[in-house]
Amino acid sequence: MIRASLAALALSCSFTAAAVAAQEPKDPYLWLEDIEGKKALDWVKKENAETDKLILDRPGFEADRKRARTILDDDRQIADPGEVMGDMITNFWRDAANPRGLWRQSPLDAYLAGKPVWTTLIDVDALGKTEKQSWVWHGADCLAPDYKRCLVSLSPGGTDADIVREWDRTTKSFVKDGFILPQAKSSVTWESADTLLVATDYGKDSMTASGYPRIVKQWQRGTPLASATIVAEGEPEDVGMSVSALVDGDKRWPVISRNKTFYTSEYRLPSSDFSTYHSTIIPETGDIRAVIEGQAIVFLNEDFGAGFPAGSLISLSIADMAAGGQVAIIPVMAPTKAQAIENVAASKTILWVKALDDVEGKLFALRRDQPNGRWSQKEVPVTANATMTIAGTVDDRDIAFVTAETMLTPPTLYAVTEGKAPQAVQSLPATFDASDMSVEKRFATSKDGTKIPYFLARKKGATGPVPALVHAYGGFRAAQTPGYLTGQPYRAGPLGLYWVEDGNAYVLANIRGGGEYGPAWHQAALREKRQNSFDDLHAVAEDLVATGVSAKGKIAISGRSNGGVLVGAAMTQRPDLYGAVISGSPIKDMRRYNKMLAGASWVAEYGDPDVPADWAFLSKYSPYQNIRKGVKYPPIFLYLSTKDDRVHPGHARKYAARLKEFGNSVYYHEYIEGGHSVGADHAEDAVRAAMLHAFLLRELVEKK
C-alpha cells in the first residue's frame, strides 16, 4: 500500500513537471546549445567580431593589454611551493617565455634560503610542439617515498577532461608501456607501485548523469584497462566516484569517495589486502582535510552529535576505521562565531589551520597531546589584517609555507615554524604605486538585517561619487578574500588595479553563499534561500550609494561561473541600480542547467528544476527566463570558452541572444580554448583585462 502510494505520488509529480514544462514558451535559442555546431559557431564569430570592433581599436587598449601581459609574465612572481619530494621541492611556473609552463624542481634547502636552483622536469610548451597538441597542465601525482614514478595529467586546450600518462622523474621521460588513460574526466591514484585505482569513462553506462565516472577499478601494471577489476560502483544519479590517497609518513591509505551529491560523500577505506573497500563513520557531509599521526582530520559541515558542531574539525583513527572497529571521535578545533576554518594542512607533528576572522587571515598550530590524544592549539603570528593561504608543508621539518597579501601589499611567501619568527622565503616588489590608495573593510546591512562585509579600494581622500566595480561570488562555500590588485577580480588580471588608478572604486563583496563565516554562511543562500545572496549584493551597492562612494547607474557588478547566476539575477531584479555587468563562464538558464554538461552535479546547491516545488523558487530568479521585453538592462560583457566542459557555453550564448533580441547592449567574447578558467595562457588573460577595462570606461565613465 505504501509503495503504491509513493509510486502514485511520483507519477503525479512527473505529470505536474511535464504540465509545467508544456506551459512554458518554447526556447527559441536552443540551437545555441550545439557547442561545435556550424550555425552556433557562426553566431559566436559574428558576436566576437562586433565586440572586437567596439573595443580593440580604442585609445589605451593596446597599452592596457601590454601592461597586463607584462604584469602576468613578470619573472618576479612567487615560485609557489609544490610537492616536497625528499630533499627536493617542485613548482609549476609560467612566464613570457613559457606561456603553458614549466614543471620544475629545486633542492629544498636552496628554496628555503630564497635562492632556488631550478631543473626543468617537463616543459609543457615544448611537449605541445613535439606532440602537436595544445597541452594545458593539470598536475602530477608522484608516488612516495621515492617519488620516482608520477601520474601526469594534461588537458588538450584546457578542458576539465584530461589525459593521464605515467612519467619517470629520474629519466625525465614518459614510461614506455606505462600507465596511460585516454581523455576523460578521470580520477586516478596510486594504490601501489604496480596498481592504480581508476575512475574514468569505461563506456556505456559507466558515467553519471553529471558526466563524471560511476565505476572505480583496480588496474594492474602490464594489463589492459579493459581487464581491470571493479572495486566500487556508484549510482547513475550520483555526482560521481573519485579516488585519492591519505599519505601519513611512509603509510599510504587509498580512499574511494562515492560523491552522492555535491555536498555528500561516502568515504571507503581498503581492507588489509586491498581486495575490498568498506564505508567509514566519517559523516557524509564531512570533508577529509588532512592526515597526521594516523588521524584523519575531518571538517564538519553539519553538527555531528553533541560537542561536534558544524564548522569544526574532528580527528578519527584511520587504522581503526580501516579495521572496522570502534572509532573514537576527538574534537580538534572549533572556531569562534566570527571565524571560519578555511585551509588545513599537516606536517609531521603539527596540524596547521588557517582561519578567516571577519574575512581576515589567522594561522594556528595544533598538536595532538599524548597519551590522551587531545588537541591543543596556539595562534602563530604572521601578518596582521592580511589574506593568508597555506601553500604547503615540509613534513619532517614541521614547516608550513604561508603566503600573505593585501589589496595594496604584494604577496610574501613565508616559511613558518612554531615558536620562531616567520622567515620570508620570497617577497615580491610592488607592481604599482599604492601610496595614494586606501583599503577599508566595511559592512552593509542586507534586507533581513544581516551584516555583509566588503572591502573597498580607492584613492586616498576620495570625495564625491565615482564609478564602482563590485565583484562577488556567493555560492558553493567559496570564500572571497582580498588579494593584491594586480589579480583582482578573478581571471581578469589587473582590472581592479586599472579601475582604482583611474580614480574609481573597486569592491570585493563577501555575500552569503560563500564560506566567509563557515557552513551557516553558505546554507543561508542555499536552494530556496538564494535570494539572500542577491539581496546582499544589492545591499552592498546601496551602501556605496548611501555613503557617497558611488551613485545609482554608476555601479558595475562582476561575477564568474556561479557568479554568473548572481549578476544575471541582480541585473534583472535591479536594472535601476547597476550601470554595467561583467559575467564570465556564467550559468544563466536555471530551467535547463541540470541537463547541460556538469550541471546535474549542482542540484544540491540550486535545486532541481524538474521538481515543481524547486522550479517555483528557481523560476523567480533564473536570469535567462527573467529577461523582460521593454525593460532596459545595463550593458553586459559576457566572456567564456567554447572548450568549457563544466559550464555549458549555451548559457552565455542564449542570454546574449535574448538580451539583444529585446534591444539591450551586449558585449560578447567567446575564446576557443581555455576551458572553464577561460584563459589558456597569459596572452588571453591580458587581452581580457584590457577588453573589460575598455568596456567599463565606455559604459560607466564616458557615457553621461
Side-chain angles (χ1 to χ4, degrees):
M1 186 67 177
I2 294 175
R3 288 185 180 180
S5 299
L6 290 174
L9 178 61
L11 189 60
S12 170
C13 288
S14 68
F15 280 139
T16 306
V20 170
Q23 293 172 6
E24 293 172 3
K26 185 178 179 181
D27 186 347
Y29 297 111
L30 202 61
W31 56 274
L32 285 170
E33 292 183 17
D34 186 1
I35 297 176
E36 302 283 356
K38 183 181 186 305
K39 184 180 178 183
L41 288 181
D42 285 345
W43 180 91
V44 167
K45 291 173 185 175
K46 178 176 175 292
E47 295 299 317
N48 281 351
E50 288 183 7
T51 299
D52 289 349
K53 188 176 180 180
L54 290 174
I55 295 290
L56 299 188
D57 292 332
R58 279 179 52 89
F61 172 84
E62 186 58 19
D64 278 351
R65 185 199 66 78
K66 286 182 177 178
R67 185 185 179 199
R69 183 70 186 271
T70 299
I71 290 171
L72 292 167
D73 284 340
D74 194 342
D75 287 344
R76 300 172 303 171
Q77 55 186 290
I78 295 286
D80 293 323
E83 188 171 4
V84 175
M85 302 181 184
D87 61 355
M88 307 294 286
I89 189 169
T90 60
N91 160 260
F92 186 71
W93 178 266
R94 293 198 303 171
D95 58 20
N98 306 280
R100 294 301 173 93
L102 300 173
W103 185 43
R104 57 188 190 170
Q105 65 182 16
S106 167
L108 177 59
D109 288 335
Y111 181 86
L112 287 169
K115 298 178 180 179
V117 180
W118 296 112
T119 301
T120 298
L121 297 172
I122 294 179
D123 182 330
V124 181
D125 295 272
L127 180 67
K129 289 177 182 177
T130 299
E131 299 186 343
K132 295 181 172 55
Q133 270 282 8
S134 181
W135 289 128
V136 174
W137 181 256
H138 273 193
D141 175 16
C142 300
L143 181 61
D146 60 7
Y147 303 98
K148 177 182 177 181
R149 294 294 177 91
C150 307
L151 298 172
V152 169
S153 299
L154 295 162
S155 163
T159 60
D160 282 1
D162 53 28
I163 291 169
V164 182
R165 299 154 72 182
E166 187 177 8
W167 189 82
D168 191 311
R169 193 167 68 99
T170 57
T171 63
K172 298 184 178 63
S173 62
F174 290 104
V175 178
K176 185 179 179 181
D177 299 325
F179 291 114
I180 298 178
L181 276 178
Q183 184 178 352
K185 290 184 178 181
S186 302
S187 179
V188 57
T189 193
W190 299 97
E191 192 178 65
S192 66
D194 294 313
T195 309
L196 302 183
L197 282 182
V198 180
T200 191
D201 186 347
Y202 292 107
K204 189 176 185 297
D205 298 329
S206 69
M207 304 293 278
T208 66
S210 298
Y212 293 98
R214 189 183 64 80
I215 297 170
V216 179
K217 296 185 179 184
Q218 282 177 331
W219 185 16
Q220 301 292 332
R221 183 181 297 281
T223 64
L225 180 60
S227 68
T229 304
I230 295 176
V231 289
E233 292 187 67
E235 298 297 329
E237 61 271 19
D238 292 345
V239 169
M241 301 289 284
S242 61
V243 297
S244 59
L246 304 175
V247 180
D248 185 21
D250 291 337
K251 183 68 175 176
R252 183 181 185 89
W253 300 90
V255 179
I256 294 176
S257 302
R258 178 191 168 198
N259 307 308
K260 295 182 178 180
T261 72
F262 203 88
Y263 298 118
T264 57
S265 296
E266 174 193 324
Y267 296 100
R268 303 177 184 179
L269 286 169
S271 58
S272 58
D273 62 356
F274 295 94
S275 61
T276 59
Y277 281 76
H278 61 84
S279 299
T280 66
I281 70 161
I282 297 172
E284 290 188 349
T285 56
D287 300 324
I288 301 176
R289 294 290 186 90
V291 57
I292 180 172
E293 296 180 333
Q295 299 288 306
I297 306 300
V298 176
F299 179 82
L300 298 177
N301 288 292
E302 294 183 354
D303 293 348
F304 190 46
F308 308 109
S312 66
L313 296 173
I314 60 172
S315 68
L316 305 165
S317 167
I318 304 173
D320 288 348
M321 287 192 290
Q326 188 172 354
V327 182
I329 306 170
I330 308 296
V332 176
M333 180 179 179
T336 67
K337 190 174 182 179
Q339 291 178 345
I341 292 172
E342 192 174 34
N343 301 147
V344 181
S347 55
K348 187 173 184 178
T349 65
I350 298 177
L351 184 70
W352 301 93
V353 176
K354 175 265 180 115
L356 293 176
D357 195 310
D358 272 333
V359 203
E360 294 174 353
K362 287 189 176 182
L363 183 69
F364 297 88
L366 287 78
R367 289 182 179 272
R368 185 164 171 261
D369 299 329
Q370 299 294 345
N372 61 19
R374 300 293 173 180
W375 292 83
S376 61
Q377 71 179 55
K378 63 174 63 175
E379 185 178 345
V380 180
V382 181
T383 302
N385 305 320
T387 291
M388 290 192 294
T389 303
I390 300 175
T393 61
V394 183
D395 193 25
D396 289 341
R397 305 190 194 187
D398 273 332
I399 293 174
F401 290 115
V402 178
T403 59
E405 62 186 304
T406 71
M407 284 186 170
L408 304 182
T409 308
T412 294
L413 175 68
Y414 294 97
V416 180
T417 306
E418 186 186 18
K420 298 181 181 179
Q423 171 195 340
V425 175
Q426 187 179 2
S427 296
L428 294 192
T431 307
F432 59 91
D433 182 4
S435 60
D436 65 342
M437 300 178 185
S438 67
V439 175
E440 54 185 307
K441 182 171 64 177
R442 294 183 168 194
F443 290 84
T445 303
S446 195
K447 185 177 181 179
D448 64 357
T450 302
K451 298 296 183 182
I452 309 302
Y454 67 91
F455 292 83
L456 167 64
R458 56 180 175 165
K459 291 288 185 71
K460 289 179 179 176
T463 58
V466 298
L469 170 61
V470 182
H471 185 73
Y473 185 74
F476 292 94
R477 300 175 180 161
Q480 303 297 290
T481 50
Y484 197 45
L485 280 179
T486 53
Q488 296 280 332
Y490 181 70
R491 300 307 301 177
L495 177 61
L497 170 62
Y498 291 171
W499 199 235
V500 175
E501 287 181 335
D502 290 339
N504 304 313
Y506 171 67
V507 172
L508 183 68
N510 304 107
I511 66 177
R512 282 174 288 182
E516 285 85 346
Y517 291 96
W521 199 249
H522 168 244
Q523 291 160 7
L526 201 60
R527 289 174 46 84
E528 70 276 6
K529 300 174 185 176
R530 203 79 190 173
Q531 185 61 41
N532 282 334
S533 67
F534 312 145
D535 290 341
D536 293 353
L537 183 61
H538 301 328
V540 170
E542 288 169 335
D543 197 64
L544 295 176
V545 175
T547 56
V549 173
S550 193
K552 279 189 175 183
K554 289 295 182 180
I555 299 172
I557 48 177
S558 164
R560 277 195 77 257
S561 192
N562 167 77
V565 179
L566 170 71
V567 298
M571 69 181 275
T572 56
Q573 292 179 4
R574 294 294 307 275
D576 63 308
L577 184 57
Y578 306 111
V581 179
I582 294 172
S583 191
S585 305
I587 305 167
K588 298 293 187 187
D589 183 353
M590 303 309 291
R591 189 70 183 95
R592 284 184 47 76
Y593 86 88
N594 62 327
K595 299 175 178 64
M596 301 163 72
L597 295 177
S601 65
W602 313 323
V603 166
E605 176 78 12
Y606 298 123
D608 186 344
D610 294 328
V611 174
D614 287 8
W615 178 238
F617 59 77
L618 286 164
S619 64
K620 291 179 180 178
Y621 72 79
S622 179
Y624 183 53
Q625 279 75 22
N626 278 280
I627 299 171
R628 300 288 179 250
K629 190 174 184 178
V631 177
K632 184 181 179 182
Y633 295 105
I636 185 171
F637 195 119
L638 292 149
Y639 67 89
L640 62 148
S641 167
T642 309
K643 297 293 186 185
D644 190 341
D645 54 351
R646 191 181 315 173
V647 174
H648 198 293
H651 285 280
R653 293 175 181 178
K654 296 196 302 180
Y655 196 67
R658 175 62 58 82
L659 283 169
K660 294 190 75 171
E661 176 193 346
F662 293 159
N664 293 282
S665 178
V666 175
Y667 297 67
Y668 188 92
H669 207 272
E670 182 173 325
Y671 294 81
I672 299 301
E673 292 194 328
H676 187 57
S677 62
V678 184
D681 54 38
H682 289 165
E684 291 182 4
D685 293 342
V687 169
R688 182 166 55 258
M691 293 185 87
L692 295 178
H693 186 212
F695 164 71
L696 292 176
L697 290 172
R698 194 170 189 269
E699 297 296 341
L700 289 187
V701 177
E702 296 165 9
K703 285 189 177 180
K704 302 301 181 184

